[in-house]
Structures are given as structure tokens and as C-alpha cells.
Amino acid sequence: MDLKDFYLLATLVACLWLDPAIAQELIYPIREELQENVLIGNIPKDLNISHMNAATGASNNLVYRLVSKAGDNPLLRVMSNTGEIFTTSNRIDREKLCPGPSYEDSECSFEIEVVILPNDYFRLIKIKIIVKDTNDNAPMFPSPVINISIPENTLINSRFAIPSATDPDTGPNSVHKYELVNGQSAFGLDIVETPEGEKWPQLIVQQNLDREQKDTYVMKIKVEDGGNPQKSSTAILQVTVTDVNDNRPVFKESQIEVHIPESSPVGTSVVQLQATDADVGSNAEIKYMFGTQVSPATRRLFALNATTGLITVQRPLDREETAIHKLSVLASDGSSSPARATVTINVTDVNDNAPNIDLRYIISPTNGTVMLSEKDPINTKIALITVSDKDTDVNGKVICFIEKDVPFHLKAVYDNQYLLETSALLDYEGTKEYIFKIVASDSGKPSLNQTALVRVRLEDENDNPPIFSQPVIELAVMENNPRDLFLTTITATDEDSGRNAEIVYQLGPNASFFDLDRKTGVLTASRVFDREDQERFLFTVTARDNGTRALQSQAAVIVTILDENDNSPKFTHNHFQFFVSENLPKYSTVGVITVTDADAGENAVVSLSILNDNENFILDPYTGVIKSNVSFDREQQSSYTFDVRAVDSGHPPCSSAAKVTINVIDVNDNPPIVIFPPSNTSFKLVPLSAIPGSVVAEVFAVDGDTGMNAELKYTIVSGNTKGLFRIDPVTGNITLEEKPTITDIGLHRLVVNISDLGYPKSLHTLILVFLYVNDTVGNSSHIYDQIRRTMETPLDRNIDESSGTNANVDNLKTIIAIVTGAMVVIVVIFITVLVRCRHASQFKAAQRKKQGAEWMSPNQENKQNKKKKRKKRKSPKSSLLNFVTIEENKPDDPTHEPINGTISIPAELEDPGIGRFDWNATPTTTFKPSSPDLARHYKSASPQSAFHLKADTPVSVKKHHVIQELPLDNTFVGGCDTLSKRSSTSSDHFSASECSSQGGFKTKGGTLHTRQGTLTRARTELNPDYLDLRSRTDLNPEYWTPCTPLVSKPRISSVLDSNELHLLL
């Protein structure tokens, strides 16, 4: 018997002998897809392992270690001190661990090995984890659309196979039931269960089919598993009714099982399938094909001849990859009912795989070499060796042994696992290194083997580390030190001898500011310390001996840096700026000055003072709080600037300065200014064809303030009772809410409020927007007349509500004018008769003729003469109508030039109480310069006459009453109060205005009455105090329709009779 045979025999004996005290096995069933850190089991508890020594009562200090390869991602982890097994972040997926077809009784598992250390209590625990299935996969049909052809003469209760669904899960989590959705009463569903437990759905014909009436049925088939929660999926089932094919193919054998070696070459015949069909001709031609259940991997390994039914090998087989292949084969003659046969191919094993050696070290190697101490005891565990062979039976039986005589042996713990451990005491002086092979050989013919190389190197023992005289060394050093300053000498001793007692000193991390002599231990400062950068240094010093296995120890060094006053106080800003509101009370807090000093102790105590302020502010020297010593008035002074000084308490003291600016901010005092529309009497045409949502007009305003004081909001406060219009609160765009109808035709007046979001008080402005709803403008003069009439309507009322009142007023005015004219004519005639009676009778006829010619056909030349001399002569009181002269000029550009209207009266009718106002003089006013310019509306580009006679105003000898029309610019004028609040200090002579006792204006011609009585309620409810009176007609004349002259261009100068007076009114 040679040496090799001896080792083989010894290994066989070792494999048969297993030490139950060393090798133990645990089995844990778990569910797949568990979360991280889930407790699986407790090794000492489940194996009844005690951590206490029964003899001494002391703790055994057992260590549990998972045996794994380098680079592995373990699915489980073991707590080294408790032996508890937990899941890791690597997901346990049963379908990934055990791929391929699975059945209810199949088991999916994996194994891990855990060793218990130290060697005195060594155990190898083999743990088998059985992974139970969870319902994490839904059953799926092979295709989302399933097509089945059924002959039209198919008998009722005939069955047709439907491709079955597959589910990677097992047991109750796999396919449970099928359901036919919308079977249309023509079809039903039945489930056939195979001996292997598979469920095959079959379609049952429940009614006679007639292809000529209906040739296609579309339904849904639903499959559900039995898991909890239940998962399901659906597929579209399309049934096509075809012509008759009476007989379906029939396999000679529906269940076929064959065996074939895995070494079979490509092209080897596996099995010959045979199916017959009772039909003749083309209906008897049979075509063979794989069923939908055959996996793509199986289709790649085997080929099926569609004509002959022969199954052959088309790629090399590997039993170790898949041992059993199940093929579903269909035989079809072109009808919708193919025959089905199941072929089971068993791949038999051949010895084509050499054994595998899995070497996992218990003692971690260094560069592939295991380092052992010469004092390690016998049976020191080095590695766990697992041998395996993918072959089966005799080909898979493996023996394992060490090739040469070394002080190591293999100890069997399972039938395929061994422990490599020392078998004798090791002697470093005798042998420093061992290199040997571990051989694994199978029992096949011929035998195949595999080897693994092991390197073990011995080390001399060095069991005493260096010891420091002080474990913690504390030092104190002033900052700004010189370089290479000596600090201290660090010493350590070692009880070993020789090279094992030679000590080398080394600085640890965070010691870049220091130098340490490796041999003497002298510690010096390598840099200049700055306490403000770092006040304390904490680092370690390592003392290492020169033994083969060097031992070392560490000491902590704490260096404290003492402070010097080397930093001036530092302000957080070189220039502090604070913002306060005007009228802030005296002694109010304005701001806080922040200053820091990088020094410590007394050197960091800082006091503040003001250098140049004239006692306007008070500064707390320690808190830095600035308080006002004055009451702020932005109009008098908008900002204050002074310097602040900071001084520390060091020796000598250090100081610094900063600049402070106090800005006084204003309040919200600018109301919105309207840009569009340019006039309160402009209008915009809204055609009946306009669609809802379209923009029909635009209101745009600006605000002289900033921030939230300049944010504007647009709202319609009156005139939109029908809800026909809507204004965008942000952009001011007016859009249609609904399509205009016939009832909406006419003029619409919208009162739009424009308000800012100012603080503390919001300011606002009102604007009138006229919208004319019609297909065309038509007579624009009539629209302007309507606009002028609406000026008499209060802002809180709709203009259509006052139309009736206006008509009554007009009628009343007409009647009063007629009566007044008639009375004047009667008085004139009466006076004329009295004058004529005094003259001689010879002049009666001539005088009557002359007087009749003058009244019926006035002389144009006399009119011109009267016009030129009107101011110089006195008219008789009987000629009351001769003093009215209206002059109107139409400019070339009606949108930019005003029409001038003047009124002249006889000298004897002039009221001495009516003063002459000097239009060139600038009126005294106390209003702010930023207030809206009220008088600018006199410059309005509107061509409407400035004055006209009021119909209901009685003619008086001492007073001549006229009425001021509403301004034609883009703002609304209220009463005298409003005008007073909105007066401007404009430099032009048109800005002069003042309120009379009647609430009107004083002009050269007399008092101009306003609509104050009409506007009283509007001013109260809509607050027109904030109306902007500025003219904007020159900004965008194309957008708004400007007013056009209501009279002809030539100048008119005539004496008005009562009819003309009525027409003018």
C-alpha cells in the first residue's frame, strides 16, 4: 500500500466519522421578501448552548462567525456576541434562488455555515434556510390576446383548449381559478386539472354557432391565484367561427417519458410523436408545434419537426442546469381544436464535471498566506473546506485528503465538509512555512479530481506591548510661539527583549502642528499657534516595538493654547444700514450693532460708542442697541449717518470702527394713476358676435409707490348687474362672461375701482368705462349724448334705471323753455305796443313794417355789428335773448385740441358780485405736489362744448346760470370736497379753481354749478375722494374712441330764438 492509498483510506474513515459535539445542523423556514433586520433564529438558544462555564461560573466569551467568501453579498448576518441570525438588505427572492418550474411539493432552500470560537469551544453549525413562497407574482397568460378558431358546426358542450396561465409562485399562491368575463351566453368555461397539478382552462360551446350570422366573439378571460392578497390578470379571448373540419387529430400516446444522456450530440433523436386524423385531404394534414407552456430555454435545446413530429437535440444538454424538460406538443390539422401531448425528457448524468473545492478561511489570510503563531494549540481551526460534484450517484461521490505529510489534518463535520486544523504543536525554529495541496477526487470512471493550494506561515511570539509612563499628557503653550519650540519628552517601556523591545514613536492623526523624534520621543512645535484658529489640540502618540508581530500602545496628548490680545474687535458689517418709518416715537429701538472679538477672556470684552452723531441717537455700549433721541420726519431729513467705535479690554486695547446709516422710509401716499382708458367719456364697441372670454376693454393704472404699495387690484363696483362683464383683478382686462344677446344692446357704464395694497392704508381710484354693445357704432353723436346724460346718474345706480327719469326731466325742460319763450315774446310785444302808441300816427305803418322785418328776417350785417359792439353798448332789458352768443371752433385734430365756448352778457345784466379771476395768477394751495392735478381736465382733448345752458335754469337779470359738464379726461370729478382734496399746484393758468358757496366754480362768466347734489351719495358709498383727475388722452388714442365735435367746424355767432335754445338744451 503506497502513501496515496493510505491517505485515501484515512479520508474515507474520517468521512464516516462525524463528531456530533462539533458538527450540528439547524433548519429555519422563512418567508421570502422579508425586510432587513428580521430575526430568523438564535443559535445558542436553539442548540441549548450555554455561555457560562459550568465548572468556574465565568463567561465563556463565545464568538459566532459566519463563514463566507470574500466579495459575497450574504443574505443573512450573525451577531458575533449573541448568535442571533438576522436578514440583511439583500432581498431573499425564492423565484431567483430556485428558478425554473416549481410544484407544490418542491422545496427551495440555501445553506450557511457558522463557526463558534475560540478553539476550546469550537463548533461548526450548518444552517439550512427553507424559503417559503409568498404571493408576490400575479398569474399571467402567455399573450394578452388569445385567438381560438371554432368550426361553425361544433356541437353544444364541445370543449376547446385555452392556453393556460403561469405563476412563478407555488402552492396556493399559484394559479387557482379561471373566469370567463362576458361570455355572451354562447360560451362557458371549465377547468381540467392534470396529474401534475396544472389547471388547464377549456372553452365550452353552449349554443349553436352560425358563422354567417356572427363570425367573431370577443370576451375576456380572468385568472386568479389563491394567495392572500389575491392577484389576478386578464387577457382578451377572441373566438373566430370557421367552416367545418369534422375530425380533430389524435395522438397515439398523450403522455410520453424518455431518457437521454446529457452527452448526446446535437441532432440526436429524442422521440418520434405520431398523431392521426380521420379526415382526408387537406383536413388530414397534421402540423406539430410546441404549446405556449414550453419555455424559451427548452425551445432552444430541442427542435420539433412540424411535419414528422420528430423531436431532436439542437443544442448541447447539461443535466446540472436542467434535469427534466416537460414539453407540451400540439398536433393541428388546421382546425381550432388541436390534439395535445405531454413529453417528459429526463436528462441522465455522465461524469463530465470535476469535483469543486470551496476553501473558506476561518483565520483570514494575508496575501493568500495564513499566519499562525507558534504558540497556537493543537486543533487550531484554519479553514472550512466544502467539496461538491455536480454529477450524481457514483459520479458525484467525492473523497478529500491532504497530499503530503504536514502537521495538519482534515476533520469531517458533514459528508461533504471538512475542517482544516493543526494536528501537532508548531515549531517556528523548525519550520517557518508550510505549503501543501488539498485533493478532492470523485468515484467516476475515469475519476476526476481537483486540488487547492494552502500556505501557512509561522510567526514568533511577541506578547508584551510598550507601556507609556503617562497615559494622558497635558501641556499649555502661549500662542504666537516660535517654531521648533520644545514641549516635552514622551517615554515608554517594553518588557520584551531584543528587537521586540526596540520602541519607535509615531504621531497619530490631527498632529500636523507637531514634530516627534521617532527614537527619543522629543515633542516640538512645528508651526506658530493661533488660538483664534484652534484653541486645543488632541492627538495620540503610538509606541510600537520591532517584534516580528509588532505590538503597540497609545497615549493621549492634550495641548491647550493660551490667548494673547492680538485681534481687534470686528463688526459683522463695515456699513450698517437700518430702515425706520417716519414719525417713530422718541427713544424707539432703531437697530442693533453686532461686533465680535476672536480673542478670549478680558481680551474679548468689547464696549461700543458713537463718534459723531450730535446726540441724535443713543447706543448701549454692551448690547449694541441703537435708540432714537429724535422724532423722525422724512420730509426734513431722510437719512442719518454716523460712525461707531468698538474697543476691547485687552492690554494694550484694540479697536475698530464701522459706519451706520439710518434711512427714514415713507408711507403709502400715492394713489393709483389711470393710464387707460384715456377719458371718462370714451367708449369701446362690443359686437354681438364677441365670444365669452374675449377681451373687450382694458383698464391700466400705475402707482408711484413701490413694493406692495404699488401692487394694484382691479374690481367692478357698479354697472355690471347683468354679470355680462368680468375684470381681471391683476391685469385689468375686461372680458365677456357670456355672449351678448339682443337685450344687452346699448350703452353699459362700468365703475371700476383700482386700489393698491399699501400699508398702513390702501389708496384707490375710480374710473368710468363705457361699453357699447351693438354690431356697429351707427350714430356716434347719439352715443356721446347718452354718455353725457349718464353723468347725471349716481355712480351706485345703473344708467338704465335713470333713463325714465332723464326723459321726464327732458320733457319738463322742454315745457319750461316753451313757456318761458312765450312769456318773453308776450312781454316784448307788450312793450313794443306801448312804444308805438307814443309816436305819431304817421309813423305807425312804417314802424310796424320795420319791426316785423327785424324779427322775422334778421339782418346779417346788423348781427355782425352787434357782435362787435356788444360789450360797449347797453342792450334794452326787453331784448333778453339778444345777448347769447356761442362761439365754437373745431380743431384740425379733435382728439388733441379743445373747443372753446364763450358767453357774453349785456353790461347792465352783469352782477357786480361776480369777481374777475386772474387766470395768470398762481393760486395758493396747501396740497401735496404729488396729488393729482385737478385742473388738467380743463385741457381735455374732448371736443365737447365747455358750457351750455341748462334747460331748467330761469333767466334772471342779475345772475346768469350755466352748468359745468363732467370732465372728459380719465377721472371722475366729485363735489367741492373732492376737488379740494385733489387740487394741484400746477404751474399753468388752467390749474386755478376754487369752490363757491353753492359748490360750483367761479369763472369769468359767473358761477359754474356742478352735479354736486347728484354725486353726494356716490361720494359717500364709492368714496370718490381717491378719484384721479389727470388727463391721459395723449397716451393711447387708438385704443379708446375719442369724442367728436357735435357741431360743424365753421364758427357760429347768432342770436338764438326760443326753438334754437330748446334744441341746444
Side-chain angles (χ1 to χ4, degrees), residues 941-952:
S942 172
Q944 184 177 349
S945 302
F947 309 97
H948 69 81
L949 294 179
K950 189 173 182 181
D952 56 355

Side-chain angles (χ1 to χ4, degrees), residues 924-969:
T924 303
T925 178
T926 59
F927 302 113
K928 295 183 178 180
S930 61
S931 301
D933 189 354
L934 170 65
R936 288 187 185 179
H937 70 271
Y938 291 109
K939 289 185 177 182
S940 172
S942 172
Q944 184 177 349
S945 302
F947 309 97
H948 69 81
L949 294 179
K950 189 173 182 181
D952 56 355
T953 304
V955 178
S956 174
V957 175
K958 293 187 177 182
K959 288 187 178 181
H960 179 62
H961 294 273
V962 296
I963 185 164
Q964 168 67 39
E965 280 295 313
L966 291 175
L968 302 181
D969 60 1

Side-chain angles (χ1 to χ4, degrees), residues 481-502:
N481 60 287
R483 293 179 181 270
D484 299 325
L485 176 67
F486 171 81
L487 299 179
T488 189
T489 300
I490 299 174
T491 58
T493 59
D494 195 324
E495 295 181 0
D496 292 326
S497 60
R499 291 185 57 84
N500 293 335
E502 295 177 1

Side-chain angles (χ1 to χ4, degrees), residues 251 273-275 286-289 304-309 329-331:
F251 276 102
L273 300 178
Q274 185 176 359
I286 299 175
K287 183 178 180 181
Y288 299 88
M289 66 190 75
L304 174 61
N305 191 302
T307 304
T308 63
V329 180
L330 303 179

Side-chain angles (χ1 to χ4, degrees), residues 1022-1039:
L1022 301 180
N1023 195 6
D1025 290 349
Y1026 300 98
L1027 298 179
D1028 188 6
L1029 305 178
R1030 305 188 187 187
S1031 174
R1032 301 295 174 186
T1033 57
D1034 56 345
L1035 295 180
N1036 192 356
E1038 292 86 11
Y1039 185 81

Side-chain angles (χ1 to χ4, degrees), residues 582-583 633-635 665-673 702-706 708-710 756-765 927-932 981-982 1025-1026 1030:
E582 60 179 332
N583 303 321
D633 187 349
R634 193 194 66 83
E635 285 70 27
I665 60 176
D666 201 2
V667 295
N668 182 29
D669 56 354
N670 288 291
I673 299 175
V702 296
D703 197 306
D705 298 317
T706 60
M708 294 301 294
N709 295 336
D756 60 28
L757 304 180
Y759 176 85
K761 181 179 179 181
S762 174
L763 303 181
H764 67 272
T765 300
F927 302 113
K928 295 183 178 180
S930 61
S931 301
K981 294 179 181 178
R982 291 302 178 194
D1025 290 349
Y1026 300 98
R1030 305 188 187 187

Side-chain angles (χ1 to χ4, degrees), residues 847-863:
Q847 188 66 25
R848 287 179 181 174
K849 183 176 181 181
K850 183 178 178 180
Q851 291 291 338
E854 285 181 1
W855 284 101
M856 300 304 297
S857 301
N859 191 336
Q860 299 297 326
E861 183 178 357
N862 292 335
K863 293 180 182 179

